Amino acid sequence: MAKGRKNGLYSGVSEELSALMKTGWADTERRDLPLGEQAPYAARRRAALSARFPGERLVIPSGSLKARSNDDTYPFRPYSGYVHMTGDQARDGALVLEPRPDGGHDAYCYQLPRDGRDTDEFWLGYTAELWMGRRPSLAESERLLGLTCRDVRAAASDLTAAPDAPTRIVRGVDPALEAAVTTDRERDTELEEALSELRLIKDAWEIGEMRKAVDSTVRGFTDCMGELSRAVASSERWIEGTFFRRARVEGNSVGYGSICAAGDHATIMHWTDNDGPVRPGDLLLLDAGVETHTLYTADVTRTLPISGTFTPVQRQVYDAVYEAQEAGMAAVKPGAAYRDFHVAAQRYLAEKLVEWGFIEGPADRAYELGLQRRFTMAGTGHMLGLDVHDCAEARNEEYVDGVLEPGMVLTVEPGLYFQPDDLTVPGEWRGIGVRIEDDLLVTADGHENLSAGLPRSSDEVEAWMARVAG
């Protein structure tokens, strides 16, 4: 029986109540479920993973609920490698690839089954079905995922009793499963690297999801501008809430904490407090992305004049960042080194900073020494997909030191940030932060800007705001 609260209002369950709760329930099994849309793609991903580790057992958990406070939990978000290999989002699950003598694998998806109505488990405790909502049965999951599904409560004992085979597990996701297997940390790291690297090139289904994420994000940005006057009357929180509404209506949630940074908050790379004033005359840096129901996220940034028009200094900074982004985007094409777009954008910004007298030239020397980083702060982009910083565990030679290929999706996001207390720049520059970020799909002959639905140049931004800003 599920553990009750220490200070619960009921001291126990009478036999009569227990008997009453176990009777009168309809059969809700869904026997006509079609195969899930993602299932054939996930099967191919598993085949690619299997080919990397012949003769080895692979364990990829989904994760479990995490406490926020007392018995309140955070919204569950499964481990991305599990989602990619199964198309499933269930908590307390695990994908196991069991090696076959021929070098291939048999795949099993361990899941938490439905609570039976023959015990009190289904209605007692905050994780019971009557509290948390109906779960799919194992048979339903098999139909949706195209995978053999087993009761996850037997997973640890199954793994312990399985025939001897070299085993790898993704660490840090499910401590109970980790305790059930004997593995080597270095070899486990190689499994996590492989799971990241298999996400570098998106398949056709994933690209469709990325389009959905970006299109919803474009609508979310438009929503925020339509309610800009409400933000001026309240705070950055109005912008955050407006975008979140779009994300929840059209997707699962936001893909990461939205950055709604007005005024000098725009100089803080990861400002997510979003509690500051929104003042005409200042800039608003909005960095946000909708996460689809299948957990693919966009990541777009625009820096917008709250009054509708840039001041001369704001425009000067904005145009430099725009031109740097243009240089970076021009370098995104198949066969190019991944670093090329970053180098192009950073070199351009180094040249502007030397021209303005903020760093010592010549520009080539400034770039080689990284002097522009005082004002550019971060790299110029990253891979994008199931995670906002996707493929994060991939080896350098496959990612930052690799080559762009069709099907990769990445951001290009140069920025300039002049801190409000930076005495090396004139006073009118202090507190200005500008970032422009778009999501690019590498194509066979170049790239496609998936977020082109939002204006980028300063003139386009001002014209767009004149049409949509409330």
Side-chain angles (χ1 to χ4, degrees):
M1 183 177 295
K3 182 180 179 181
R5 289 178 178 169
K6 178 180 179 180
N7 55 354
L9 294 173
Y10 293 108
S11 59
V13 176
S14 68
E15 292 183 8
E16 291 79 5
L17 174 58
S18 178
L20 175 64
M21 290 301 296
K22 295 171 188 173
T23 61
W25 301 102
D27 179 6
T28 61
E29 181 74 12
R30 294 172 290 184
R31 297 177 176 83
D32 57 351
L33 289 174
L35 184 68
E37 185 182 56
Q38 191 177 176
Y41 296 94
R44 287 195 282 272
R45 298 167 199 158
R46 291 193 298 274
L49 183 66
S50 171
R52 290 200 180 198
F53 301 102
E56 300 188 53
R57 181 179 298 111
L58 310 177
V59 184
I60 306 166
S62 70
S64 55
L65 293 170
K66 292 179 173 59
R68 180 179 183 271
S69 175
N70 193 17
D71 58 358
D72 181 35
T73 61
Y74 289 103
F76 177 67
R77 173 57 159 81
Y79 169 61
S80 293
Y82 173 84
V83 176
H84 192 239
M85 288 291 138
T86 63
D88 182 51
Q89 298 180 31
R91 65 179 175 90
D92 299 311
L95 173 68
V96 175
L97 297 187
E98 190 66 33
R100 297 194 306 258
D102 64 4
H105 289 82
D106 293 319
Y108 305 104
C109 193
Y110 282 91
Q111 294 199 338
L112 194 63
R114 295 200 65 201
D115 289 333
R117 297 303 194 258
D118 56 344
T119 74
D120 292 325
E121 290 294 324
F122 79 98
W123 70 282
L124 289 178
Y126 70 92
T127 61
E129 279 200 7
L130 285 195
W131 289 77
M132 299 290 285
R134 185 190 188 278
R135 295 191 293 271
S137 70
L138 296 182
E140 289 169 349
S141 291
E142 286 189 345
R143 297 186 192 102
L144 286 168
L145 304 179
L147 273 168
T148 298
C149 292
R150 297 177 172 179
D151 189 335
V152 74
R153 293 171 296 187
S157 58
D158 286 354
L159 289 169
T160 301
D164 287 340
T167 301
R168 301 177 191 253
I169 190 170
V170 177
R171 294 183 178 227
V173 180
D174 190 319
L177 288 182
E178 279 186 50
V181 296
T182 301
T183 66
D184 173 82
R185 181 173 294 276
E186 183 176 345
R187 288 162 45 78
D188 291 344
T189 297
E190 291 171 351
L191 171 59
E192 195 167 4
E193 289 172 346
L195 289 166
S196 271
E197 289 165 13
L198 288 170
R199 300 209 303 274
L200 284 167
I201 298 176
K202 272 58 180 176
D203 57 39
W205 183 87
E206 291 180 287
I207 291 170
E209 293 303 295
M210 295 301 299
R211 292 186 189 280
K212 292 178 187 177
V214 173
D215 290 347
S216 288
T217 298
V218 168
R219 289 188 285 273
F221 272 66
T222 305
D223 294 341
C224 290
M225 289 304 97
E227 299 197 14
L228 187 56
S229 63
R230 306 291 294 275
V232 170
S234 53
S235 74
E236 297 162 341
R237 292 279 169 95
W238 196 276
I239 299 292
E240 180 183 12
T242 300
F243 189 85
F244 182 73
R245 181 179 65 234
R246 176 66 67 173
R248 286 293 282 166
V249 168
E250 295 194 359
N252 176 60
S253 186
V254 290
Y256 54 96
S258 298
I259 299 169
C260 308
D264 59 20
H265 288 163
T267 66
I268 302 172
M269 291 292 297
H270 290 160
W271 173 258
T272 55
D273 287 353
N274 300 334
D275 59 357
V278 178
R279 302 187 185 97
D282 286 344
L283 296 175
L284 170 69
L285 189 156
L286 177 55
D287 183 338
V290 171
E291 179 184 74
T292 65
H293 292 293
T294 57
L295 308 186
Y296 287 79
T297 187
D299 181 9
V300 176
T301 306
R302 289 295 184 269
T303 305
L304 309 160
I306 296 168
S307 63
T309 56
F310 293 98
T311 67
V313 174
Q314 290 170 350
R315 179 181 282 267
Q316 189 173 357
V317 177
Y318 188 95
D319 287 348
V321 174
Y322 170 77
E323 290 155 7
Q325 192 195 32
E326 286 279 279
M329 290 170 65
V332 175
K333 53 191 173 183
Y338 174 84
R339 291 181 183 272
D340 284 355
F341 76 91
H342 166 73
V343 172
Q346 292 289 310
R347 280 190 177 278
Y348 184 86
L349 292 176
E351 291 171 5
K352 297 303 291 186
L353 290 164
V354 169
E355 176 187 320
W356 295 334
F358 296 163
I359 57 176
E360 184 179 348
D364 285 345
R365 173 185 175 275
Y367 173 77
E368 293 302 326
L369 294 175
L371 302 184
Q372 83 285 352
R373 293 178 61 185
R374 179 182 176 99
F375 305 104
T376 65
M377 300 280 287
T380 314
H382 51 81
M383 291 294 180
L384 185 66
L386 276 168
D387 293 330
V388 65
H389 295 151
D390 207 26
C391 315
E393 298 303 320
R395 294 168 295 172
N396 283 352
E397 58 265 32
E398 298 295 325
Y399 189 165
V400 294
D401 295 328
V403 173
L404 295 179
E405 299 182 47
M408 290 181 170
V409 180
L410 63 148
T411 69
V412 179
E413 51 172 319
L416 284 173
Y417 312 93
F418 300 100
Q419 302 301 324
D421 57 348
D422 189 343
L423 301 181
T424 69
V425 299
E428 64 269 25
W429 293 67
R430 297 172 199 162
I432 293 178
V434 173
R435 180 165 65 252
I436 311 171
E437 178 179 21
D438 285 271
D439 301 344
L440 272 60
L441 167 67
V442 182
T443 61
D445 55 0
H447 68 262
E448 176 187 351
N449 183 359
L450 299 178
S451 46
L454 285 174
R456 289 194 304 118
S457 74
S458 53
D459 288 343
E460 291 170 342
V461 165
E462 289 180 346
W464 179 69
M465 292 188 69
R467 293 194 306 271
V468 304

